[in-house]
Each structure stands twice: as structure tokens, then as C-alpha cells.
Amino acid sequence: MDIAQELLKLSGIRFAGGKLIFQLKIPQVRFGADSTGRDMQGSSSTSESANIKDRLINLLQTRADMQGSSLDLSSLAQDNIIRSIGADPLRDGKIFKAILVIAEQIYPGLVTISFADNGLRSLRSIVDLGAHFPGLRNLSLMNNMISDFRELDCLSSAGSTAPLSQLAELILLGNPAREAELAQPGGGVSYVDKVHQRFPTVSMLDMNPVTPRAQPGLPAEVHSDGDAIKQLPFSTEQSFVENQGIGDMANTFLAGFFGLYDGNRSGLANIYDQEAQFSLMVDTSPPTNAFAQPKAQSQKHVDLSVYIRISRNLARVKSHIKRSSALTVGRDAIIQTISQLPATQHPVQDAQRFSFDAWQAN
């Protein structure tokens, strides 16, 4: 299956003047059959079960990506296939269990699943998620009705024999438990802490980077109050400049630019001309755990959503339309874009916190 997944990544490439297409062959599996394919129930019940199974396979095929690594199970109550079965995902947890059983057989390499917008108050219907997909790395529970963090226990080592031990990204946006926690004083820190108590490997929470307590496959690190803060392997050096003249010129420009950027961004209009181009790239990769601050107070909830919306990270943004729209052209458009970004403060005069390199290019 690993080889098949690698081949699927090559689907669509040009070869010998044509286009190569790789597709995952769906195994034929029926309800009411054992591992040899023999019926285990009467013909009537077997026929009905097989019919439901075929519809659920059709559902999964319309919601999985071409590589079979990502599955979108959001808003199932509005799905026509689910309605044709007569199932109500909000009341009948068996439909989720059946979907997960079939999904494991068809797409065993799933690493991303979304259960967004399903009105879930409890996660008991997906309690076997880790058993079906032990390598799951990305999970969205966005816009559900989870009001207690203890609901997450059934997916973690706190309440599951098959926890999501490889989970790297979790989305809980739009759930009452999250919103209530963040509304409390210091809620950003306690919110991250409650998630890491259950999923210590999470490094991306609600599309914002956080420092994980453990790497996948390794035990979580435990820090006492007496632990020394880990240091980088090398000391931070001051800025490198080719000579004093270049250094003075760079310092003057940077102090002026960031002075206006932090205090009056409209004042930067004279720096850009009508042909100028502006874009930004957000790197959501968190710092490695080895260099992380161990104290809970260092776990700030950094909201990068404003930046992510206009990020032109070419490693992630594949759509030509999005790449084009994320590129701002012209003085007025650039000033309008940067004026909508959050307020900042750059310590330009502090050599220990702000550094740059400058040299003359011929």
C-alpha cells in the first residue's frame, strides 16, 4: 500500500507525450460477508446491507482525495447519499462507525479526516478512530457542539486503548468548550494546555502553530519548575555588515521603515511605486521541541489567521488563482493590504533581538 500511495502522488504527470493517471482500486467488500466473502446472514438482510455498503462506498469516493490520504466527512446530515439511506448522523452513531470500518478497508493510508459541521456533542461515535487509522495526523472537529474537553478523552490515551498518538494538527474552532476556555483570563495558555494533556504531539492547533510536548513516537517531556530553559546550540550573533558605511545606511533605512510600519503605515506610500509588488509567506511550522521554552507561560496562543488568509506560501498554495490574488501590485493596493495587518512593534535598536546582514552587491 505504501508503494501505491507513492504512485498516486505521480498521477497526472506528463510521460512520453501523454498523461499518466494512477487510481486506487477499490476492493469489493460487502456487509454480511466474512473474510472469505461468504454470506453470514440471510439473503434478504445481506442484500439490504450490501446496498447500504455500496452507497457508503459511493459516499467515500466522492469525499476522499485522489491519493486516498484525506477524507472530508463534514456536514453529513445534508449529504444526499446519507439521506437516501435514511440515517441521521446526529442521532445514530452507528453511521459513523460503519463509515470508519469501510474507510479503513478502502483508504488505509488516511492521514487527514474532517468531521466538521456535524453537530457532534459527543465523540463516542468515532471512539474507534485511532484503531482504524493509527497514523492519523490531521483531525478537524470544527463547528460542532463539544462543550466539555473530556469528550476528547475517548480519542486520547486518557480513555482509549488506541489513542491518536501521531496527531499533529487539531481544529476545534467553533466548539463551545474552546470558546468558553479562551474567554477566561489566561485562556490561551490553558486552552493549549488542555489539548496537550490529551494530544501532546499536536503542533498545529486551530491553524496556529504551538510547541508540542512530544514528537510522534516519543514520550512527552515532563518539566519541573527547577528545569533550566533550553538554549540554542549556538549563541545569537550580531548583524553582519560589510563595512561601517553600509551598516549606517542599512540601519537608517530599517529604522525609518519599521518606525513607519509600526506607527503610521500610510506613511510608507512614498517607498513603493505603481509597479511595486508585495506578498507575504506564513511559515506555520513550529519550532522543534528541543529548543522550545518548557514553561507553560511561554505557550502563547498566536493568531496568524489574518496573515494566513493572504499568505503566498508557494509550497502550500497550488492554485494559480490564489497565487495571483495573494500578490498585491501597486502603491495604493500595497498600503491598503499592510494597513489591515495586526499592529506590530519591532525592536530595531536592540541588537540582541533584531539582526540583519548587509553587504554591497556588484
Side-chain angles (χ1 to χ4, degrees):
M1 181 54 68
D2 290 340
I3 296 176
Q5 296 299 330
E6 291 300 317
L7 287 174
L8 284 172
K9 295 178 182 179
L10 300 175
S11 184
I13 66 171
R14 305 292 299 184
F15 179 75
K19 182 182 290 188
L20 284 178
I21 300 296
F22 295 98
Q23 293 182 328
L24 192 65
K25 184 178 181 181
I26 307 300
Q28 187 175 5
V29 185
R30 302 188 310 275
F31 278 159
D34 62 16
S35 59
T36 65
R38 294 175 299 182
D39 289 339
M40 298 171 60
Q41 304 177 23
S43 58
S44 176
S45 60
T46 300
S47 177
E48 181 180 356
S49 296
N51 182 274
I52 294 175
K53 180 71 175 258
D54 289 341
R55 296 188 192 185
L56 292 182
I57 288 177
N58 187 23
L59 170 78
L60 293 172
Q61 289 176 323
T62 62
R63 288 174 170 259
D65 66 357
M66 184 178 295
Q67 290 75 29
S69 62
S70 178
L71 182 61
D72 179 9
L73 295 178
S74 62
S75 304
L76 284 185
Q78 284 74 51
D79 191 280
N80 290 332
I81 295 177
I82 294 296
R83 288 179 173 180
S84 71
I85 297 175
D88 184 352
L90 299 181
R91 289 184 169 85
D92 186 3
K94 292 181 180 179
I95 192 66
F96 279 112
K97 293 180 180 293
I99 288 174
L100 291 180
V101 169
I102 302 170
E104 180 188 8
Q105 299 171 11
I106 300 176
Y107 306 116
L110 278 177
V111 295
T112 301
I113 299 182
S114 172
F115 292 98
D117 298 292
N118 278 305
L120 295 174
R121 298 178 182 274
S122 170
L123 299 181
R124 302 307 301 178
S125 58
I126 60 172
V127 66
D128 297 325
L129 187 60
H132 292 299
F133 304 105
L136 192 71
R137 293 187 56 80
N138 312 297
L139 174 63
S140 174
L141 297 170
M142 184 169 64
N143 295 336
N144 281 291
M145 300 299 294
I146 301 170
S147 58
D148 193 326
F149 280 98
R150 287 175 294 185
E151 285 296 332
L152 298 173
D153 290 350
C154 67
L155 301 178
S156 72
S157 58
S160 173
T161 57
L164 299 177
S165 59
Q166 306 293 312
L167 195 65
E169 179 174 8
L170 177 64
I171 301 178
L172 293 173
L173 289 164
N175 281 280
R178 174 191 184 272
E179 309 310 327
E181 190 66 31
L182 290 179
Q184 300 297 319
V189 174
S190 61
Y191 171 54
V192 174
D193 184 61
K194 287 187 175 182
V195 170
H196 276 157
Q197 287 175 15
R198 294 161 173 88
F199 309 107
T201 56
V202 165
S203 59
M204 189 69 63
L205 180 59
D206 300 333
M207 295 178 284
N208 290 307
V210 293
T211 303
R213 291 185 180 178
Q215 299 299 321
L218 298 176
E221 295 184 12
V222 179
H223 301 284
S224 65
D225 292 339
D227 283 341
I229 295 177
K230 290 182 172 66
Q231 302 294 327
L232 293 171
F234 301 101
S235 60
T236 302
E237 300 293 336
Q238 295 185 357
S239 303
F240 167 79
V241 293
E242 185 175 352
N243 55 53
Q244 185 66 40
I246 292 177
D248 291 342
M249 181 171 61
N251 268 313
T252 300
F253 172 77
L254 292 174
F257 180 89
F258 284 112
L260 289 172
Y261 188 87
D262 294 339
N264 178 27
R265 292 178 186 171
S266 61
L268 293 172
N270 292 332
I271 293 180
Y272 301 97
D273 65 23
Q274 294 301 338
E275 302 300 323
Q277 297 182 351
F278 171 85
S279 66
L280 61 83
M281 185 274 284
V282 178
D283 182 5
T284 55
S285 302
T288 58
N289 203 41
F291 303 146
Q293 298 272 4
K295 304 299 182 183
Q297 289 79 0
S298 69
Q299 292 278 11
K300 294 182 179 180
H301 182 74
V302 181
D303 186 3
L304 298 176
S305 57
V306 176
Y307 294 93
I308 291 175
R309 280 199 294 270
I310 62 172
S311 175
R312 198 167 182 262
N313 186 343
L314 300 184
R316 289 178 174 265
V317 180
K318 303 301 183 182
S319 167
H320 292 292
I321 296 177
K322 177 63 185 299
R323 287 185 177 187
S324 178
S325 64
L327 182 64
T328 305
V329 181
R331 176 191 299 126
D332 295 339
I334 292 174
I335 296 303
Q336 182 180 4
T337 297
I338 64 176
S339 296
Q340 295 173 355
L341 297 176
T344 56
Q345 185 175 5
H346 292 81
V348 181
Q349 305 302 327
D350 188 346
Q352 298 300 317
R353 301 171 61 198
F354 188 94
S355 64
F356 63 90
D357 297 337
W359 62 90
Q360 185 173 350
N362 296 321

